[in-house]
Structure formats: structure tokens, C-alpha cells
Amino acid sequence: MNKVHALNDTHATLLETGLRLFAEQGYNGTGIKEIVDAAGVPKGSFYNYFKSKEDFGAEVISFYADGFADKWSGYFAEGPQQPLAALRYTYERIIGYHEQCTVKAGCLLGNFAAEMSESSELCRLTLQEVVAGWRKRFASYLRKAQADGSVRTDLSAEQLTDFFWNAWEGAMLRMKIERSTAPVRACVNLMFDHFFLP
């Protein structure tokens, strides 16, 4: 194995481990030593890849967003062609994933926003960029659904997207509190069966 490949493997292993631990314990509840121990990497190696825990946190957010974008693409590729049905299918798959998880960790973006937005400008800006990308993608599907007549047009696609995001993130918090996917399922049903419709 060449040195560059090993470097990339270690970097990815740290990000994957950090993602899992941050989702389970939060940013502030997870120390660097715990991350490197769980990853099987010497603590000194951590600083070969990241300037600080804050820098690592921002990279974990981007890593999570990239992985989520790949999952989205897969869901859209296998789901229905109609835009509104495709969005619903995607969120049904996300709920299905959470139903299989023992720990109802919620959304890493929402967790980080609650925990880090006031204390880390780097993480806040990274979150803002990631959410803007999600918002643009979701709104593009709603715009197509408005064009085919399956979504209301009295509100813009961006307004509908923002309302959905706010409702979804609130439902994700309730999912963590109640240790049940019932709040996110209720959110999706209400939005797709009523709120989005003309």
C-alpha cells in the first residue's frame, strides 16, 4: 500500500469514526482521545490531518453531507419519477433507516447546529453551506412538482422547502426525545398528504 493511500484511509477512518461518535454522543461529549482510540489511530496522527477538533468537526459535517448526498442520489435513482413522489420516497427511506437504528441520533446537522453554532464560526459556516445545498436540491424537486401540478403554487418552492426543513428538524429532535420515529413519520405524512398539495 502506498503512503498516499494509507493517508487517505486514515483520514477517512477518522472522519467515519468521528461521525459515528458525534451522532451518538455529540461534539462536546466526544474527545479526540476517544476518537483516535475508536479509530485505532495514534493520537499524534490526528494532527497530521486536522488542525484542531473544531477543524475536524467542520470536516465531519462536510463528510456527512457528502455521504447523505450520495444516499439521496441513490434513493432518487431507484424511486418514482414524479418529483413529489420521489421526495416522499427519499424521506420514507430515511425514516426506514432510523427505525433500524438502536440509537435515535437524529440529524447530525441539527445536532451540530444546536451544539456548535454559537461557539464555532467555522462549523456554523460549514452548516450554512451544507443546508443551502440541501435546500437548493429539495426546492428544485418542488419546483418541478409545481410545474406538473402536484404541488401548490401559492407559496414559492423555497418557502415550502424552508417550512419542511423547519418541521423535519423539529420532528427529528422529538424523535431523539421520544426514542421513536413516530414524529418524523407524522411530519412526512402531514407535509406530503396535505401541506404540499394544491
Side-chain angles (χ1 to χ4, degrees):
M1 178 184 298
N2 66 41
K3 188 175 179 180
V4 173
H5 187 67
L7 182 85
N8 290 339
D9 284 351
T10 302
H11 185 255
T13 299
L14 285 166
L15 290 172
E16 288 164 3
T17 304
L19 173 58
R20 179 176 53 79
L21 292 175
F22 288 163
E24 292 172 4
Q25 303 171 178
Y27 176 87
N28 290 319
T30 306
I32 292 173
K33 181 175 183 337
E34 189 173 4
I35 294 164
V36 296
D37 286 352
V41 174
K43 187 171 182 179
S45 297
F46 179 90
Y47 295 102
N48 291 333
Y49 307 100
F50 310 102
K51 293 181 286 190
S52 63
K53 184 181 174 188
E54 180 186 30
D55 180 58
F56 177 69
E59 280 204 46
V60 167
I61 293 166
S62 296
F63 180 74
Y64 171 81
D66 291 344
F68 193 75
D70 289 345
K71 280 184 184 174
W72 258 55
S73 296
Y75 295 155
F76 281 116
E78 70 189 34
Q81 293 299 305
Q82 197 277 336
L84 187 62
L87 282 171
R88 183 174 194 148
Y89 176 81
T90 298
Y91 277 84
E92 293 286 352
R93 290 294 306 271
I94 293 167
I95 292 169
Y97 165 78
H98 285 291
E99 284 175 341
Q100 294 178 9
C101 293
T102 306
V103 176
K104 305 293 186 236
C107 171
L108 187 76
L109 299 182
N111 295 348
F112 256 86
E115 198 174 0
M116 297 301 298
S117 291
E118 291 298 318
S119 61
S120 169
E121 185 67 3
L122 175 62
C123 289
R124 188 189 70 77
L125 291 172
T126 305
L127 286 164
Q128 189 174 35
E129 181 183 326
V130 165
V131 170
W134 171 89
R135 184 178 182 263
K136 182 177 178 182
R137 187 170 192 177
F138 195 97
S140 73
Y141 275 84
L142 284 183
R143 211 171 289 109
K144 291 173 189 172
Q146 286 176 321
D148 73 19
S150 60
V151 166
R152 63 194 291 179
T153 56
D154 59 324
L155 296 171
S156 71
E158 288 73 23
Q159 288 173 306
L160 294 170
T161 296
D162 288 345
F163 192 84
F164 178 81
W165 171 261
N166 295 340
W168 175 258
E169 286 299 320
M172 293 292 276
L173 286 174
R174 281 190 56 207
M175 180 184 77
K176 289 176 65 174
I177 293 166
E178 297 173 21
R179 295 183 178 168
S180 166
T181 56
V184 286
R185 189 162 294 287
C187 172
V188 165
N189 289 341
L190 181 64
M191 295 302 250
F192 287 92
D193 291 339
H194 301 285
F195 182 72
F196 287 142
L197 302 185

